[in-house]
Amino acid sequence: MSGVADLLAAARVKCLTIATAESCTGGMVAAALTDLPGSSEMFLWGAVTYSNPAKRSMLGVSQMTLVAHGAVSEQVAREMAQGARARSGADIAVSITGIAGPGGSEFKPEGRVCFGIATADETRTETVEFGALGRDAVRLAARDHALMLLGQAVGVPGSEP
């Protein structure tokens, strides 16, 4: 948890607040952030938007985006992060949407996870292919990657991938 402690300490020093929008991780990033006492100073809000209707109603993800690109896409990850940031009032929001498994398809294989990170200056997205590691391992890897992205956004030394 030292990485999370460093992330929260840096956010505290810089007076930055954080929000999360999670799908396949089911709140694991929010749980990691709130495991430490005092995190409520920096962590404002977390949304678990597992279904498409939840992504639309809670985060403002466009139905057109969902239809055109599917829930597991950088386009949806972008709108999730932007929606979480806007609706929570946080300085930084991270989003996660993916296929933890089992299953997947030829076009969207198990282990594909899309991330978004929204700040006042920009929203970045990326896709990581973790592979068919099994549901638990994909979810943990996605949680850790999202925490690394938050660390980068907050400016924690050593948060490079």
Side-chain angles (χ1 to χ4, degrees):
M1 276 303 169
S2 66
V4 175
D6 292 342
L7 162 63
L8 291 171
R12 179 181 287 121
V13 167
K14 295 178 180 180
C15 297
L16 295 172
T17 54
I18 298 168
T20 61
E22 302 180 63
S23 186
C24 66
T25 48
M28 294 172 73
V29 176
L33 292 169
T34 58
D35 275 348
L36 298 173
S39 60
S40 62
E41 290 178 47
M42 292 73 60
F43 181 71
L44 298 185
W45 192 83
V48 176
T49 56
Y50 207 68
S51 70
N52 287 350
K55 288 174 180 67
R56 288 194 320 267
S57 67
M58 295 173 68
L59 301 172
V61 173
S62 162
Q63 175 67 15
M64 291 178 62
T65 304
L66 286 162
V67 169
H69 303 284
V72 179
S73 64
E74 289 188 23
Q75 292 86 350
V76 168
R78 172 179 301 281
E79 291 185 21
M80 288 173 67
Q82 291 171 334
R85 185 175 177 278
R87 291 171 185 229
S88 69
D91 297 302
I92 302 165
V94 68
S95 67
I96 305 169
T97 182
I99 301 172
S105 71
E106 174 186 350
F107 302 106
K108 294 193 178 178
E110 179 179 333
R112 176 175 292 170
V113 183
C114 301
F115 299 87
I117 188 96
T119 66
D121 298 328
E122 66 177 342
T123 301
R124 292 182 293 110
T125 61
E126 61 184 55
T127 299
V128 177
E129 303 284 351
F130 293 109
L133 306 174
R135 185 173 182 81
D136 292 343
V138 169
R139 293 176 76 212
L140 288 170
R143 178 204 63 191
D144 292 347
H145 190 80
L147 290 168
M148 184 266 308
L149 290 173
L150 284 171
Q152 288 175 346
V154 171
V156 175
S159 292
E160 295 76 36

